[in-house]
């Protein structure tokens, strides 16, 4: 078929996976792109006023400007100055449990995974020939439980790689939690200040240091 005969893409036309924040994103004028079947906000038209504030210029070449808006740059600059929230629900989440989980994940990952409970490790995965397969975050939630978070585009590929390398003795159980757990990133120099207003848990630098993981209650939601 002639490509020009296809209608303009609209979110409502698609059988897309959407996050719990989708309706609010639509209200804020989100322009979406697709990642692994998910609708993900690319930028928000409600942040158009930031373009003038930060003096972001449009890109002069059509190739550079495709699927791009100066609002994106302005949003990044605003978050660098203060705090922003990013819907990363599309990130794939896998839980691994069982008596063989430490040895299994240490075999899969480049970095040391046998860390204290409450630590996160950012690490590559390699193939059997030492070639690069992925980079992702592994969090130790208990002695025999880990959570892996990888990119939305990479979830299927990484799930396959983990799955075909599971121990044959059944000592490790893998569960895909992607559709069960939603994720929002709160980032920027004022991130702790914002989250501290909605939790009674200690999220100070001392109580919640870099590369650490902890369960907290946000409002009334654990």
């Amino acid at each position: 078929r002639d490509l020009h005969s296809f209608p303009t893409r609209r979110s409502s036309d698609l059988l897309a996976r959407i996050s719990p924040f989708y309706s609010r994103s639509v209200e804020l004028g989100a322009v979406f792109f697709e990642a692994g079947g998910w609708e993900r906000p690319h930028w928000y038209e409600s942040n158009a006023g930031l373009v003038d504030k930060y003096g972001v210029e449009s890109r002069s070449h059509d190739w550079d400007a495709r699927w791009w808006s100066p609002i994106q740059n302005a949003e990044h600059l605003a978050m660098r100055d203060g705090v922003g929230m990013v819907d990363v629900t599309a990130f794939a989440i896998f839980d691994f449990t069982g008596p063989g989980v430490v040895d299994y994940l240490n075999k899969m990952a480049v970095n040391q995974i046998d860390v204290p409970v409450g630590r996160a490790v950012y690490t590559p995965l390699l193939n059997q020939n030492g070639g690069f397969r992925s980079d992702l975050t592994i969090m130790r939630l208990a002695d025999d439980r880990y959570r892996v978070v990888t990119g939305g585009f990479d979830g299927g590929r990484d799930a396959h790689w983990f799955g075909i390398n599971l121990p044959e003795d059944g000592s490790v159980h893998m569960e895909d939690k992607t559709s069960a757990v939603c994720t929002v990133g709160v980032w920027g120099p004022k991130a702790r200040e914002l989250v501290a207003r909605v939790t009674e848990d200690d999220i100070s630098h001392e109580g919640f240091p870099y590369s650490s993981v902890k369960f907290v209650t946000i409002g009334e939601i654990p």
Side-chain angles (χ1 to χ4, degrees), residues 143-204:
D143 288 340
D144 61 350
R145 179 186 175 197
Y146 288 81
R147 174 162 291 172
V148 172
V149 178
T150 187
F153 286 105
D154 307 322
R157 177 199 65 195
D158 292 343
H160 173 74
W161 185 245
F162 278 116
I164 64 174
N165 284 284
L166 285 170
E168 296 181 358
D169 62 4
S171 62
V172 179
H173 174 71
M174 176 182 174
E175 182 180 6
D176 188 339
K177 304 282 286 188
T178 306
S179 295
V181 179
C182 67
T183 309
V184 59
V186 183
W187 297 325
K190 297 182 180 179
R192 289 184 192 272
E193 177 184 334
L194 173 61
V195 178
R197 290 162 52 187
V198 294
T199 183
E200 296 181 358
D201 292 285
D202 183 6
I203 59 161
S204 64

Side-chain angles (χ1 to χ4, degrees), residues 88-101:
V88 286
T89 298
F91 277 34
I93 301 174
F94 312 126
D95 278 4
F96 295 89
T97 55
V101 69

Side-chain angles (χ1 to χ4, degrees), residues 80-92:
R80 188 172 68 178
D81 285 347
V83 60
M85 295 193 301
V86 180
D87 182 1
V88 286
T89 298
F91 277 34

Side-chain angles (χ1 to χ4, degrees), residues 32 44 48 53 94 102 113 179 205:
F32 294 91
Y44 293 88
K53 176 180 178 180
F94 312 126
V102 177
I113 303 302
S179 295
H205 286 286

Side-chain angles (χ1 to χ4, degrees), residues 11-218:
S11 174
S12 59
D13 296 332
L14 305 176
L15 295 175
R17 302 172 78 179
I18 57 176
S19 83
F21 314 112
Y22 176 77
S23 296
R24 179 59 175 154
S25 294
V26 171
E27 292 174 2
L28 292 172
V31 176
F32 294 91
F33 73 105
E34 183 270 336
W38 290 86
E39 285 286 80
R40 297 192 64 185
H42 215 162
W43 67 83
Y44 293 88
E45 293 292 341
S46 56
N47 287 326
L50 296 173
V51 174
D52 290 336
K53 176 180 178 180
Y54 286 97
V56 178
E57 298 180 357
S58 295
R59 296 177 175 178
S60 57
H61 301 290
D62 290 341
W63 188 89
D64 288 338
R66 287 186 300 173
W67 311 298
W68 176 85
S69 166
I71 297 174
Q72 290 173 291
N73 287 36
E75 288 171 335
H76 292 157
L77 292 168
M79 186 160 58
R80 188 172 68 178
D81 285 347
V83 60
M85 295 193 301
V86 180
D87 182 1
V88 286
T89 298
F91 277 34
I93 301 174
F94 312 126
D95 278 4
F96 295 89
T97 55
V101 69
V102 177
D103 290 340
Y104 165 69
L105 288 177
N106 256 340
K107 172 187 174 182
M108 300 294 292
V110 173
N111 291 336
Q112 174 61 254
I113 303 302
D114 191 5
V115 295
V117 174
R119 285 288 307 278
V121 178
Y122 181 64
T123 180
L125 300 183
L126 303 182
N127 63 24
Q128 62 270 29
N129 298 316
F132 188 90
R133 284 201 61 93
S134 185
D135 61 312
L136 41 76
T137 301
I138 300 179
M139 297 170 278
R140 191 167 196 177
L141 305 183
D143 288 340
D144 61 350
R145 179 186 175 197
Y146 288 81
R147 174 162 291 172
V148 172
V149 178
T150 187
F153 286 105
D154 307 322
R157 177 199 65 195
D158 292 343
H160 173 74
W161 185 245
F162 278 116
I164 64 174
N165 284 284
L166 285 170
E168 296 181 358
D169 62 4
S171 62
V172 179
H173 174 71
M174 176 182 174
E175 182 180 6
D176 188 339
K177 304 282 286 188
T178 306
S179 295
V181 179
C182 67
T183 309
V184 59
V186 183
W187 297 325
K190 297 182 180 179
R192 289 184 192 272
E193 177 184 334
L194 173 61
V195 178
R197 290 162 52 187
V198 294
T199 183
E200 296 181 358
D201 292 285
D202 183 6
I203 59 161
S204 64
H205 286 286
E206 296 75 22
F208 193 19
Y210 178 73
S211 290
S212 62
V213 180
K214 66 187 301 183
F215 290 95
V216 301
T217 299
I218 303 296

